[in-house]
């Protein structure tokens, strides 16, 4: 099923259960280009599961998930990876690699997804990403040397560095103080305009 020209994600009657517990029951939504969509709910109500089903880190039990014209549940590995390359995904924890510097964390997705870039181009993209999140001076620091808010910013930079057309955020302000939460929310809105 192909979507209308401006529909980026369309979910119909999505279901997901773990054993006897049904986590997602007949979830349907549509997201169009340029829109922000927020899914709200208490802890444990399936928000993270929904996002993981969209990128098929988890397989849905029923329903359809169409991302930019592709029904992800039916895609083979190579085609699924092509869809995933369009999607930036910011995990709750940030998921930075502890054994890598900030520079290495940002270079990792570039070298994996944007394989034709020279070292100079990789460095330029890293510098730009760090400037966009307001942290140009932490390039050679380890994640353990950064505050929680700084780690979130670096995680956000790593997510957008590959220029995804779709951004998915899994509780991007979890565990942050109110001021830092507002800064991250403002940063997300600014990045949408880039």
């Amino acid at each position: 099923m192909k979507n209308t020209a401006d529909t980026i994600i369309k979910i119909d009657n999505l279901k997901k259960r773990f054993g006897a517990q049904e986590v997602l029951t007949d979830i349907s939504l549509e997201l169009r280009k340029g829109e922000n969509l927020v899914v709200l709910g208490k802890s444990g109500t399936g928000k993270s599961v929904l996002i993981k089903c969209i990128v098929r880190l988890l397989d849905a039990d029923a329903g359809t998930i169409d991302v930019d014209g592709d029904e992800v549940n039916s895609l083979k590995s190579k085609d699924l990876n092509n869809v995933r390359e369009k999607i930036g995904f910011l995990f709750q924890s940030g998921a930075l690699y502890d054994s890598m510097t900030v520079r290495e964390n940002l270079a990792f997705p570039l070298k994996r997804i944007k394989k034709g870039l020279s070292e100079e181009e990789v460095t330029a993209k890293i510098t730009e990403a760090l400037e966009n999140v307001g942290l140009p001076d932490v390039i050679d620091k380890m994640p353990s040397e950064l505050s929680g808010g700084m780690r979130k910013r670096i995680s956000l930079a790593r997510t957008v560095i590959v220029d995804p057309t779709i951004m998915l955020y899994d509780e991007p302000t979890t565990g942050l103080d109110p001021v830092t939460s507002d800064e991250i929310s403002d940063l997300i809105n600014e990045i949408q305009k880039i």
Side-chain angles (χ1 to χ4, degrees):
M1 164 181 78
K2 293 290 182 184
N3 286 326
T4 59
D6 64 341
T7 299
I8 290 291
I9 297 175
K10 182 173 175 64
I11 298 174
D12 284 314
N13 302 312
L14 186 68
K15 293 183 181 181
K16 179 65 182 171
R17 70 171 48 243
F18 297 100
Q21 182 183 8
E22 192 163 60
V23 178
L24 301 176
T25 306
D26 294 323
I27 301 295
S28 296
L29 62 86
E30 189 169 332
L31 179 68
R32 291 179 185 85
K33 288 180 184 176
E35 283 184 333
N36 283 329
L37 175 69
V38 177
V39 177
L40 296 173
K42 294 179 184 178
S43 181
T45 58
K47 300 178 302 293
S48 297
V49 171
L50 174 62
I51 289 175
K52 288 176 182 175
C53 285
I54 292 170
V55 293
R56 214 169 113 199
L57 292 174
L58 292 173
D59 288 321
D61 297 326
T64 60
I65 303 169
D66 187 289
V67 176
D68 201 22
D70 291 302
E71 210 295 297
V72 298
N73 292 325
S74 63
L75 294 177
K76 302 252 188 266
S77 184
K78 181 182 177 193
D79 294 328
L80 178 60
N81 285 334
N82 289 337
V83 169
R84 286 176 175 162
E85 288 179 5
K86 298 177 188 178
I87 301 172
F89 186 86
L90 182 63
F91 294 91
Q92 280 184 41
S93 65
L96 293 174
Y97 299 109
D98 293 335
S99 61
M100 294 181 178
T101 65
V102 167
R103 178 192 311 268
E104 293 165 332
N105 264 285
L106 295 178
F108 184 80
L110 282 173
K111 291 179 178 180
R112 189 169 170 264
I113 295 171
K114 307 274 186 182
K115 295 177 182 165
L117 296 178
S118 69
E119 283 301 316
E120 293 80 21
E121 290 169 318
V122 168
T123 299
K125 296 253 330 152
I126 290 169
T127 302
E128 179 185 9
L130 289 173
E131 287 172 0
N132 286 339
V133 298
L135 293 173
D137 298 330
V138 301
I139 192 165
D140 292 315
K141 292 192 180 283
M142 301 298 287
S144 61
E145 298 176 274
L146 307 175
S147 70
M150 293 168 89
R151 285 193 300 273
K152 283 280 190 184
R153 287 174 179 266
I154 298 304
S155 297
L156 185 55
R158 187 182 64 188
T159 301
V160 300
I161 200 164
V162 294
D163 304 316
T165 56
I166 302 167
M167 286 293 301
L168 301 176
Y169 303 97
D170 190 3
E171 299 190 32
T173 59
T174 295
L176 300 177
D177 63 83
V179 172
T180 306
S181 291
D182 285 347
E183 290 173 354
I184 294 294
S185 295
D186 290 344
L187 187 56
I188 287 169
N189 287 327
E190 286 302 312
I191 284 174
Q192 182 186 6
K193 298 172 190 172
I194 294 176

